[in-house]
Amino acid sequence: MAAALTASLVIAVPAPARADYVRDLEYWLDDYGISDAWDITRGAGQRIAVIDTGIADVPELRGAVVGGTDESGLGSPDGRTPVGDGSEHGTLVGSILAGRGDGGSGVIGVAPDAELLSISVAFGEGPVGTEDQIANAVRWAVDNGADIINMSLTTNTLDWPTSWDDAFLYAFEHDVVIVAAAGNRGAGTAEVGAPATIPGVVAVAGVDKDGDASADASSQGITLAVAAPSEQLIGIQPDGEPVYWSGTSGAAPIVAGIVALIRAAHPELDANSVIQRLIATAKPQSSTVPDPLYGYGLVDADAAVRADIAPVTSNPLAVPYDLAEWIRIYRRADAAPAPTSSPTPETVVPSASPEAIPQRPPSLPELIPRWLRSLIPHTSVLTDAVLPLGLLLGFGAFLAAGIVGTVRAAGRSRRR
């Protein structure tokens, strides 16, 4: 389950300065071409369904949420009442997707002009089974006009329940792009889990601020599509305060927002060609593409919106089978049975609980460029190599001085 908040944020400064400060912390907007892509589109006309714990009514998202429902049996009919353990999770995800940049915090989403659908589910709780909650949520999203579905959740296993087969196939047949988080090593997910393993789903890995695969806030697997930031993310919690948080829970909505920008800029493209644009313009991070840590590479929103990319006729992520073919092969009665376990899905746990955003300037080490920091010895280097070498050299110098002194004394004695 999503971890509970550990602190509340209180920043005693005027709202405009506070908004500017928080906005400056959203490093992914500039580093991943999102602010440049806004010269073309900010996602207007796109509808993103957020299947999560519910998006609270916070100022930054007023006007963004245009509909919703509760599939848990615990929330309000409109899906806006946060439910279950980690109830703040859905609001954090929604703010990264389509925060309007106002409301005092300044947080702005990747697609600030897009519309959101809030579909609340409670993992492992309520009168409706979890797997049915997810299947019902996917179908409701499609029937209510979703162009994109964001799923910041994982089962922590490669397999998925059979009830998801028809629901996901229904979404693909209705030209919907599904984006899912890969999971976090820090939460025990070393390998990508479903729904990010379902053929055709855009599985999102996480990287740190330097673009390197996150040690805790990501996982690995052959189904990864792209990678996006998953550390030191800024989101809004239900009380309206911004917090730091980490995990592919946050990387997924960054990618879902970029998909909204692509679809808004290229309304003529179907879901398959939209996904092709996303992966074809990603920046590879190794000689292996796709890579088990980065997929096709780091997302580049500006290139995805502007580049000249040829359309395709099938989902480039549905390899070697699309979902329909996978179902035919692995779910047929006379085939060797595919794994059919139905683990309880859970939200992708942030590798660290959301924490208050400090109002302080960066420390001196944070100001040192990464390449220069790499030249500074680490503590282990100092203790394991530099200090022993220094002691050895010091002893050698002392011994040499003693020998020289003895020789000189002997020479003086002979002269006498």
Side-chain angles (χ1 to χ4, degrees):
M1 301 297 176
L5 293 177
T6 58
S8 297
L9 175 64
V10 178
I11 301 180
V13 294
R18 176 176 181 242
D20 291 342
Y21 171 70
V22 172
R23 180 74 62 80
D24 289 343
L25 297 175
E26 296 184 83
Y27 63 92
W28 54 92
L29 299 178
D30 290 336
D31 292 356
Y32 288 80
I34 294 165
S35 56
D36 289 333
W38 286 345
D39 292 337
I40 304 297
T41 178
R42 290 161 61 95
Q46 296 303 302
R47 183 167 290 187
I48 309 169
V50 179
I51 300 177
D52 215 293
T53 60
I55 301 174
D57 184 9
V58 294
E60 288 77 8
L61 289 169
R62 285 176 188 157
V65 181
V66 298
T69 190
D70 173 61
E71 296 293 346
S72 70
L74 299 175
S76 55
D78 64 359
R80 299 299 300 277
T81 301
V83 299
D85 189 14
S87 58
E88 79 285 346
H89 199 264
T91 310
L92 291 168
V93 168
S95 62
I96 282 189
L97 271 168
R100 294 325 205 205
D102 51 18
S105 75
V107 170
I108 191 167
V110 175
D113 290 349
E115 298 176 342
L116 299 181
L117 297 174
S118 177
I119 308 175
S120 56
V121 292
F123 306 103
E125 302 178 41
V128 183
T130 303
E131 64 180 63
D132 288 335
Q133 290 184 49
I134 300 300
N136 294 340
V138 170
R139 284 186 167 274
W140 190 94
V142 175
D143 290 341
N144 286 270
D147 303 291
I148 302 139
I149 296 175
N150 184 86
M151 305 183 74
S152 290
L153 54 94
T154 182
T155 58
N156 289 328
T157 180
L158 298 174
D159 188 31
W160 60 91
T162 55
S163 61
W164 291 9
D165 289 352
D166 289 341
F168 281 72
L169 190 59
Y170 184 67
F172 295 147
E173 289 173 343
H174 285 78
D175 202 40
V176 176
V177 177
I178 300 179
V179 179
N184 308 323
R185 293 186 192 89
T189 306
E191 190 173 14
V192 177
T197 55
I198 295 177
V201 168
V202 179
V204 182
V207 295
D208 61 21
K209 289 186 71 172
D210 293 320
D212 296 325
S214 177
D216 291 321
S218 190
S219 61
Q220 64 183 47
I222 60 173
T223 62
L224 288 176
V226 290
S230 64
E231 295 187 14
Q232 292 181 270
L233 304 175
I234 306 297
I236 301 296
Q237 54 187 343
D239 64 4
E241 293 294 341
V243 289
Y244 274 124
W245 64 307
S246 298
T248 51
S249 284
I254 289 175
V255 173
I258 292 174
V259 171
L261 299 181
I262 297 172
R263 299 206 83 160
H266 299 276
E268 76 283 0
L269 297 181
D270 64 9
N272 296 331
S273 294
V274 168
I275 293 172
Q276 175 66 13
R277 272 189 166 269
L278 179 73
I279 65 175
T281 56
K283 298 176 180 178
Q285 298 300 294
S286 74
S287 58
T288 303
V289 179
D291 181 87
L293 287 177
Y294 303 96
Y296 287 84
L298 303 183
V299 288
D300 184 338
D302 191 45
V305 166
R306 298 177 190 266
D308 184 12
I309 305 295
V312 294
T313 57
S314 61
N315 189 321
L317 300 177
V319 177
Y321 312 116
D322 62 16
L323 181 55
E325 183 68 4
W326 190 96
I327 293 170
R328 187 188 70 80
I329 293 173
Y330 291 107
R331 302 296 197 200
R332 63 186 182 181
D334 58 344
T340 56
S341 60
S342 298
T344 299
E346 58 183 70
T347 52
V348 179
V349 183
S351 59
S353 299
E355 60 186 45
I357 299 172
Q359 186 194 357
R360 61 165 179 80
S363 63
L364 180 59
E366 292 172 339
L367 294 174
I368 300 174
R370 184 185 177 214
W371 67 268
L372 183 56
R373 290 200 306 269
S374 67
L375 301 179
I376 301 175
H378 296 287
T379 302
S380 61
V381 177
L382 290 172
T383 56
D384 296 342
V386 177
L387 290 179
L389 181 59
L391 290 173
L392 181 61
L393 292 175
F395 177 76
F398 176 78
L399 181 62
I403 294 173
V404 171
T406 300
V407 171
R408 288 178 176 174
R412 287 196 297 271
S413 297
R414 284 197 297 271
R415 285 196 297 274
R416 291 186 187 132

